[in-house]
Amino acid sequence: MQGYRTYIAAGLVALFGALASTDWIAVLNDPKAGAVAVGSAALMAIMRSITSTPPGTA
């Protein structure tokens, strides 16, 4: 599939726009929601760096 990086970049820009336009404090009713999201992302990155198998395989 050619141009997949362009599709990924376009999807990320669209996702960022959707996330930026949402009032997350009102949605989650917690001002620490951003810190939780950053912590979750860091944990996902750490877990991915530890594993080497594709998702869904044991």
Side-chain angles (χ1 to χ4, degrees), residues 6-45:
T6 304
Y7 290 128
I8 292 171
L12 289 174
V13 169
L15 179 65
F16 176 75
L19 292 175
S21 66
T22 303
D23 183 10
W24 286 104
I25 293 174
V27 171
L28 299 175
N29 199 21
D30 187 359
K32 296 179 184 174
V36 171
V38 170
S40 297
L43 181 61
M44 287 179 3

Side-chain angles (χ1 to χ4, degrees), residues 47-54:
M47 294 297 289
R48 184 59 200 147
S49 68
I50 294 171
T51 62
S52 61
T53 59

